[in-house]
Amino acid sequence: MKLTGAQILLKTLAEEKVDTIFGYPGGAVIDIYDELEKTDIRHVLVRHEQGAVHAADGYARVSGRVGVCLVTSGPGATNTVTGIASAYMDSIPLVVITGQVPTHLIGNDAFQEVDIVGITRPCTKHNYLVTRTEDLAHVIKEAFHIARSGRPGPVLVDIPKDVANTTIEYKPPGPVNLRSYRPNYSPNMKQLQKVVKLIRKARRPLLFVGGGAILSKASPEVTELAHKIQAPVTATLMGLGAFPGTDPLWLGMIGMHGTYRANMAVDACDLMISVGVRFDDRVTGRIDTFAPRAKIVHIDIDPTSIRKNVQVAIPIVGDCRLTLNSLNQLVDEIDLGDLSSARKDWLSQIDTWKKTTPLAYKQTDVIKPQFVVEKLFELTGGDAIITTEVGQNQMWAAQFYHFNRPNRFVTSGGLGTMGFGLPAAIGAQIACPDDVVVDIAGDGSIQMNIQEMATAVQQKAPIKVVILNNSYLGMVRQWQELFYDKRYASTCMDCTPDFVKLAEAYGALGLRATKPDEVEAVLRKGLEAPTAVIMDFVVAKEECVYPMVPAGAPITEMLLV
Amino acid sequence: MEEQKHIFSMLVDNVPGVLSRIVGLFSGRGFNIDSLCVAETTDPAVSRITIVSKADAPIVEQIEKQLNKLVNVRKIRDLTGPSSVKREMALICVQAKAKHRAEILRIVDIFRCKVVDVGLEHYTIEVTGDEGKLKALLKLLKPMGIKKIARTGPIALFREPN
């Protein structure tokens, strides 16, 4: 069978069961687009390549599948870099296909040429420059395999124009067999036996879960273990939803803007079972004071995550789900005695923290951003897919929207990419057309990829954008208020567009609330609308996110409301 | 924690960009490279890279794990310590004025090196040995005046069991 490179690419994508591609055409990928048009694969035309990667990322996070992007060479490729780095930091499986100038022009500073493989080497899990059409099918298969296996991540494949338009005799690629890449999924049982011993002895155990628990679909196992050993659970920003947010054992998020009880529990616990986390500085605060009384068990598929930031008592390399599954079985075999009395002091201590120092804010006659998120939680029954931008909006979403299921909270955790939420919401909505998808945004970050409103309208993706509009770059302003004597250097956005008119200009619905008693009506109207909506909530200008642990301080040193 | 010299030896896929991935990993994560050697093995699909790096124990662990994580790295081993043989080669161009010429040749003889280039004012000496030997040789040649030097950096192999 004679096929062109472009035909081989699309055939291989179909074999990988790709149903949606987010992208933007250009000279170097015109042959691929010409073939794409003839297939059943849905192409989502974005308005900026960064949007394509974030949308594919949102699609991947809610569906658990590999997100796919297609962009042209040069600027098309460089525009993907922020999106790729965001996905890399959060371990999201993507395959990013970039066009490249023809092989004979590579290295010649040709029109729209850039060494994207060189540029993305440190922010991809792996990347390829395909130099022969014969290699294409195999490389694409490898790319998908690498993206989704082990610790997932983005893989970039750079395809020169002549590789795409050369016709060859097609041979189906064999199975992927990489001698140098064999992720280890099954845990060491001896290590698990040690964990069981620690569980038996622990008086104040704590489960600490991160994005790895969600990526490995370990939520049921996390929940089972927590209930079985009666351990309270905290999570990183990336781990929200891995354990039900309305469960009595739930502590709320850990870290810089974590709940009082979660951070205090980390300090007091004598056993920390950490699952799929990497002990990021926003989580640990000052590292030498982190969990000082605890024996730390660290379960992660990536050996480099273990002992990178904290020393642990028991390292376990393995898939979170498989590992917890085995651990649950081992725990079943032992007698833990009367847990209700053994845990009484620990759980009542946590309850006291919860009662004395809950997440709180003061209601006034202006709209409080926390109130908007609370109302949104109430009106959606906690069942919406929430994407966020980055900053205060993100933290309030994490604190006041309670996630009972995994894959419902889509946020740029590691890289902290402003402009992520809107395109990610479009990707999530396309993956889950029947779900309510809400982007909780700030007036600053929404402007970073606002052009994607046109994509949402074109794709008939009825996403809901909730702008917590304080006319500030709120999180930086908060730092300036607290640590820079209120010198608000360049954080005041004196000129902000009229978001209602802007929504209308894009052909979406625009709504606004300026008083607390308008919030519910606006949210209801926005959520019921069959189209894309921007809801502009004019909120208290100088509200801060609390609790807050100053950067580099121990996480028990929290600034409170 | 104390920093120590470590010799990492790894087998990697002989594909374009592999060296750049490894070097980029070191620079991106702030690890040191003292020296680096790359060449094909008997299998043309596989190259061996030897890197010497100064680091403390936790960083050594990270270097090994991070290198292992690269898709093109097949195998890595820390060859520090006596259970491996290490050799380095150097070409040393030393000033050879008439009064020093005999002395230099004597040193070359004692160290079992070779003179590979000779001129009116210089000898170029080829030497192979471990770090100590090179150090001792350089100490003796220094007073004559070393014009240029090129060193390969160490390569190493694990000693096979008897």
Side-chain angles (χ1 to χ4, degrees), chain A residues 20-217:
Chain A
T20 309
I21 293 178
F22 301 87
Y24 203 99
V29 284
I30 199 162
D31 300 277
I32 298 172
Y33 268 90
D34 194 46
E35 287 302 323
L36 174 58
E37 200 64 15
K38 302 173 193 162
T39 68
D40 297 333
I41 297 175
R42 174 177 183 180
H43 181 258
V44 177
L45 175 65
V46 293
R47 297 301 185 270
H48 186 290
E49 289 87 350
Q50 185 186 348
V53 189
H54 292 327
D57 184 319
Y59 174 95
R61 290 188 205 224
V62 298
S63 68
R65 306 177 56 190
V66 178
V68 183
C69 304
L70 173 59
V71 301
T72 194
S73 64
T78 52
N79 278 344
T80 64
V81 172
T82 303
I84 293 172
S86 307
Y88 184 64
M89 287 289 267
D90 291 344
S91 310
I92 305 303
L94 298 181
V95 170
V96 179
I97 298 164
T98 51
Q100 181 56 279
V101 302
T103 45
H104 70 273
L105 287 178
I106 289 178
N108 270 16
D109 301 327
F111 176 64
Q112 292 197 328
E113 180 189 356
V114 76
D115 173 16
I116 196 63
V117 169
I119 289 172
T120 58
R121 222 168 256 143
C123 62
T124 49
K125 186 170 171 188
H126 196 57
N127 60 17
Y128 297 89
L129 168 65
V130 184
T131 51
R132 301 181 328 143
T133 309
E134 287 78 3
D135 299 335
L136 188 56
H138 189 70
V139 165
I140 295 292
K141 274 191 82 168
E142 260 182 36
F144 275 85
H145 172 72
I146 290 172
R148 67 163 76 95
S149 58
R151 178 178 176 177
V155 178
L156 182 137
V157 183
D158 199 23
I159 305 178
K161 192 177 165 89
D162 56 328
V163 170
N165 64 23
T166 299
T167 304
I168 60 157
E169 180 64 32
Y170 172 74
K171 283 198 207 95
V176 175
N177 180 22
L178 290 161
R179 273 193 54 183
S180 50
Y181 176 75
R182 301 262 165 85
N184 176 36
Y185 291 93
S186 32
N188 181 322
M189 294 307 279
K190 277 192 189 142
Q191 295 289 83
L192 280 182
Q193 294 284 8
K194 290 187 203 159
V195 179
V196 174
K197 273 192 196 140
L198 289 183
I199 289 174
R200 203 203 299 256
K201 275 195 280 182
R203 308 282 301 166
R204 298 183 306 280
L206 175 73
L207 235 69
F208 169 36
V209 296
I214 290 176
L215 289 164
S216 71
K217 303 184 172 62

Side-chain angles (χ1 to χ4, degrees), chain A residues 56 66 108 172 176 224 261 302 307 313 317 369 377 394 417 457 482 489 494 513 527 536 538 559:
Chain A
V66 178
N108 270 16
V176 175
E224 189 186 332
R261 62 183 190 280
D302 180 2
R307 287 207 294 260
V317 176
F377 173 70
Q394 180 185 32
T417 307
V457 172
L482 297 172
D494 283 327
L527 289 170
D536 183 22
V538 180
L559 306 173

